[in-house]
Amino acid sequence: MSLPSRFFLVGFTAGTAFLSGCATDAGVRQPSGVPVTEMRPDERGFVAGTGIESQDLVSVTDKMARSILGIPQIARAQTPPSVVLDPVVNNTRFPINKDIFLTRLRTQLNSKAAGQVSFIDRELMKSLERERDLKRNGQVTASADPNVVEFAGADYFLTGKLDGMTTKTSAGMSDYVLYSFRLTDARTSRIVWEDVAEIKKQGLEDAAYR
Amino acid sequence: MVRLGSAGAEVTRQRVVTLLRHVVRAFSCFRPMNLSLRPASRATATTAVLAVACLAWAGCVTVDEPSRAAPRTPAVSEPAPTPTPPAPSAADRAMAKAERDRVLHAYRAATEALRAGDFAAAKAKLDEAIVRIGGIIANDADAARARSLFSAESTKTFIGEPYERVMAYYYRGMLYWRDGEIDNARACFRSGQVIDSDPNAKQHDADYVLLDYLEGLATAKLGGDGSDAVKRAQARLSSRAVLPNPNLTANVLVFAEYGYGPRKVAAGPHGEQLRFVADESPSRSARLLLDEGRRIVPLPSYDDLGFQATTRGGRVMDHILGNKAVFKTGANAVGDLAFAGSVIAADESRRRKRENKDNDAADAAAVGLGVVGLIGKIASAAANPVADTRQWDALPQHLSFAALQLAPGDYMGKLEFLDRDGAVLAQRTQPLRISVQSGGRDTVVFLSEL
């Protein structure tokens, strides 16, 4: 091979080899990351998961509504028991709109229970008291005697709690959230019903964010 | 197809033929062949060279860009093929950039609103940011582009470095507390600590003092046992200062910040190294004076964002940018070498010409190496390893906190900042008024030097 051919061979080979080695992601495992996947809580994942989303809200409240309607205190009650909703306690690492859980649970029960259970609106208590006082003072009209106490008392309190556990490793991040709800007898303080739902999620971010 | 009609063109054609002959001869050292360059063979050789070049360039695409399209769902009939979308206009590109920087703008707007006392606007902006930074970004086209050789890191959607994301959660937690949602505030402080955690850098893993302390205080206020979190906070603070025991009867929570936060710079030969400049601010400490100075509330620095930014450990993206920089340097060197070889070959050609020897091969080598050199130089110039220095530039350096017990009412006072010797920086003193609300909700006071 002549000298110029050697020159060419060396230059061309070096250029080709160099360009074919433009691997900026070389040595980076799964550079595109792994999309978040939902798993069964009892399933072992390669990492542990992420936040509370609308599908979790739907599945959890659906499950709780079905579960509550099956208990004897509700299903066999002579008169529909009155239930007060107490705010959910968030013990996870995810800031959430806590009311949305109870709102959906209440609407599910109201729509599916067909009068088996009634809810007491304590959110409007201040407005209701003000209206009652106006009636008592004769400032507004009343269709019934406003001096008779008619605000219903609670037979049960329904509340919930969200607990979470986070794992972060070089393989990604996972979050496990335990949704627990309970119905407490207002007279005896006994918990007459309790149920849980568990969701675990995991994912790995794109290498550009790691 | 190039039309070669003139005598000069004939010479050029001869040189191209010679170049191809050298290519074939060069390859024949790996696979011996006996080829004479007839027209058909020339076409074959041209195709081979083009194929090799295309393969070489294709090698630069290390990760296929994922499709933005939604996953296909089973359909009864195949939809009609969609026409190729037109090239993005300047307005589209501007929109795309605005979208990529949305979180950055939300961060900045949030701090402006916070410092102006517009807490509703601050909440809205922080929520907008947290929606983005709270998720996991995977299979993202912008992120893939940022990893590619010829795009800057800043082409990815901005979410900020961990210390910036932590601050979004810190501020949001403070605002949740202000709204009486202590459990959501605690959730934000926990998320901040998770963001700061780095499995590969255990020494400074999740080491914000205030995040742990506030988690413990929130848990205690909610009736739980927050002592573990408070102990963790004290352990992280070590001997620098002593944290006050959580006061459950405290109804006024003071969140203070002072000093100027870290700045990002792109260092390294090609700007591929993300570095943080954390200058020490004049304000090293602060104190709150109430009741005409009779009550002094110290506000020492519990967390230093400059320290947090510089101790988090390396990023995977740094590795990618490092590879880009190596390519840029290497391509430039290949270009230099090829050009040098081209000059030598040209010199050899002239020498052979003077000696009335055949110089076609040397000419061809000069041209070929020149082309390789040009490709190397272009590739080097196009490679973009510059680190992303977009930053939330309104962050403070020091974070402090105090919890007080005050009866409902208005309190006049002032906020003083102290230098390293403990002297008051008089020109930075701020008068303030604290309105303590009645009822069960804590009063949250946000004080900022910035």
Side-chain angles (χ1 to χ4, degrees):
Chain A
M1 196 159 46
S2 66
L3 182 65
S5 296
R6 285 201 189 102
F7 273 132
F8 187 86
L9 175 65
V10 170
F12 192 83
T13 307
T16 305
F18 187 80
L19 289 173
S20 62
C22 315
T24 58
D25 295 333
V28 177
R29 193 172 42 79
Q30 294 177 331
S32 294
V34 177
V36 173
T37 52
E38 191 172 320
M39 317 173 65
R40 293 192 310 275
D42 57 345
E43 189 177 354
R44 179 182 289 273
F46 56 91
V47 285
T50 192
I52 298 166
E53 296 169 307
S54 58
Q55 66 268 25
D56 310 329
L57 165 77
V58 170
S59 66
V60 168
T61 51
D62 279 352
K63 180 183 178 188
M64 296 303 154
R66 283 196 304 271
S67 181
I68 288 173
L69 290 177
I71 63 171
Q73 287 85 348
I74 302 291
R76 296 178 201 157
Q78 299 296 318
T79 55
S82 300
V83 176
V84 166
L85 300 174
D86 247 13
V88 167
V89 176
N90 178 15
N91 195 25
T92 70
R93 73 174 187 91
F94 304 106
I96 55 163
N97 177 357
K98 298 177 294 176
D99 294 339
I100 200 168
F101 276 92
L102 291 179
T103 300
R104 192 169 192 284
L105 192 52
R106 189 185 68 222
T107 53
Q108 284 294 100
L109 287 170
N110 270 333
S111 65
K112 291 180 178 171
Q116 274 181 279
V117 61
S118 67
F119 290 93
I120 296 171
D121 199 339
R122 290 278 163 89
E123 288 176 24
L124 281 180
M125 206 62 192
K126 281 186 180 171
S127 300
L128 296 172
E129 284 172 348
R130 192 169 63 247
E131 184 67 18
R132 183 196 60 191
D133 292 343
L134 289 173
K135 286 177 180 173
R136 282 178 176 171
N137 295 335
Q139 292 172 277
V140 296
T141 60
S143 56
D145 183 0
N147 293 309
V148 177
V149 176
E150 289 188 285
F151 288 156
D155 295 316
Y156 297 100
F157 282 91
L158 174 62
T159 189
K161 189 179 174 194
L162 280 59
D163 292 286
M165 189 186 293
T166 301
T167 306
K168 192 173 181 182
T169 71
S170 56
M173 182 155 65
S174 91
D175 276 288
Y176 164 80
V177 178
L178 175 70
Y179 304 80
S180 60
F181 287 83
R182 67 180 190 274
L183 194 65
T184 305
D185 190 321
R187 187 170 55 84
T188 64
S189 78
R190 285 200 175 90
I191 296 174
V192 297
W193 165 87
E194 190 165 25
D195 205 349
V196 296
E198 303 161 293
I199 293 176
K200 182 179 177 180
K201 297 177 185 176
Q202 62 187 23
L204 175 65
E205 280 195 309
D206 192 292
Y209 296 101
R210 283 185 254 149
Chain B
M1 193 72 183
V2 180
R3 292 176 66 86
L4 301 173
S6 65
E10 181 59 31
V11 171
T12 308
R13 185 164 60 182
Q14 286 299 323
R15 286 180 176 172
V16 169
V17 169
T18 311
L19 168 65
L20 293 176
R21 190 177 290 142
H22 280 292
V23 170
V24 172
R25 203 179 293 163
F27 280 108
S28 69
C29 67
F30 300 109
R31 186 195 291 178
M33 288 187 292
N34 184 17
L35 292 175
S36 59
L37 287 175
R38 293 166 301 175
S41 302
R42 286 177 207 161
T44 308
T46 308
T47 308
V49 170
L50 286 174
V52 170
C54 289
L55 279 173
W57 281 106
C60 296
V61 181
T62 55
V63 181
D64 290 338
E65 198 163 291
S67 169
R68 285 178 182 274
R72 289 179 60 179
T73 50
V76 177
S77 60
E78 283 292 320
T82 52
T84 307
S89 65
D92 290 340
R93 286 195 295 273
M95 285 287 288
K97 184 174 186 324
E99 189 61 26
R100 286 199 301 270
D101 294 345
R102 179 188 283 263
V103 170
L104 178 61
H105 297 314
Y107 283 162
R108 289 172 175 166
T111 37
E112 279 181 23
L114 266 177
R115 287 162 193 166
D118 187 353
F119 298 115
K123 272 190 286 187
K125 288 297 173 186
L126 290 169
D127 284 341
E128 184 182 328
I130 285 173
V131 163
R132 296 287 184 93
I133 67 178
I136 286 187
I137 300 176
N139 284 342
D140 180 71
D142 289 336
R145 194 178 308 116
R147 283 186 276 105
S148 71
L149 193 55
F150 302 113
S151 295
E153 187 194 355
S154 58
T155 54
K156 71 183 182 186
T157 300
F158 177 88
I159 61 170
E161 293 306 309
Y163 74 93
E164 293 167 303
R165 282 179 266 162
V166 166
M167 285 306 291
Y169 277 103
Y170 172 79
Y171 286 137
R172 191 63 185 96
M174 179 182 75
L175 293 176
Y176 269 125
W177 206 313
R178 186 176 177 276
D179 290 341
E181 295 187 46
I182 300 178
D183 51 354
N184 272 339
R186 177 179 61 183
C188 288
F189 301 139
R190 284 177 176 165
S191 275
Q193 235 19 340
V194 168
I195 288 170
D196 188 50
S197 66
D198 182 358
N200 299 317
K202 284 291 176 194
Q203 192 184 354
H204 299 293
D205 177 52
D207 60 348
Y208 280 84
V209 172
L210 270 187
L211 295 181
D212 272 340
Y213 181 79
L214 291 170
E215 182 194 332
L217 180 61
T219 302
K221 285 232 172 202
L222 289 166
D225 180 7
S227 58
D228 281 351
V230 173
K231 281 177 191 165
R232 280 200 306 272
Q234 184 59 64
R236 295 189 201 294
L237 193 59
S238 64
S239 58
R240 282 190 286 146
V242 177
L243 282 163
N245 285 325
N247 179 5
L248 297 186
T249 58
N251 60 336
V252 179
L253 307 181
V254 179
F255 291 79
E257 59 178 28
Y258 43 89
Y260 305 106
R263 285 173 290 118
K264 295 179 189 173
V265 292
H270 303 294
E272 76 278 11
Q273 296 166 11
L274 180 63
R275 294 285 181 266
F276 301 95
V277 177
D279 296 330
E280 197 57 59
S281 301
S283 303
R284 299 292 184 89
S285 182
R287 65 187 183 190
L288 178 63
L289 280 73
L290 296 172
D291 296 339
E292 297 179 341
R294 286 190 294 275
R295 183 168 185 179
I296 299 174
V297 181
L299 292 167
S301 171
Y302 292 123
D303 281 306
D304 181 337
L305 284 192
F307 176 81
Q308 293 294 342
T310 52
T311 57
R312 176 71 178 21
R315 309 179 302 161
V316 174
M317 194 60 193
D318 292 335
H319 179 74
I320 293 171
L321 294 177
N323 285 345
K324 288 189 190 185
V326 167
F327 171 81
K328 191 175 181 73
T329 305
N332 192 44
V334 166
D336 288 342
L337 283 173
F339 277 137
S342 178
V343 170
I344 293 169
D347 187 55
E348 171 74 5
S349 168
R350 280 194 297 276
R351 187 183 66 78
R352 294 177 73 85
K353 192 176 181 182
R354 279 199 304 273
E355 294 170 359
N356 288 326
K357 291 180 182 174
D358 179 19
N359 63 342
D360 285 353
D363 275 348
V367 171
L369 288 170
V371 169
V372 170
L374 192 63
I375 291 172
K377 287 292 183 183
I378 291 172
S380 175
N384 195 340
V386 177
D388 184 8
T389 55
R390 290 173 293 174
Q391 56 194 307
W392 190 358
D393 44 13
L395 289 176
Q397 181 178 11
H398 300 287
L399 302 178
S400 186
F401 174 81
L404 316 173
Q405 188 175 4
L406 295 174
D410 286 350
Y411 296 83
M412 304 303 290
K414 60 182 176 180
L415 176 66
E416 289 182 341
F417 299 98
L418 314 176
D419 66 12
R420 61 189 308 165
D421 301 321
V424 176
L425 297 165
Q427 72 279 14
R428 293 170 189 250
T429 299
Q430 298 175 6
L432 59 87
R433 177 178 150 179
I434 297 175
S435 295
V436 179
Q437 57 200 358
S438 55
R441 188 179 293 186
D442 291 332
T443 298
V444 171
V445 179
F446 175 63
L447 304 174
S448 177
E449 184 193 12
L450 305 177

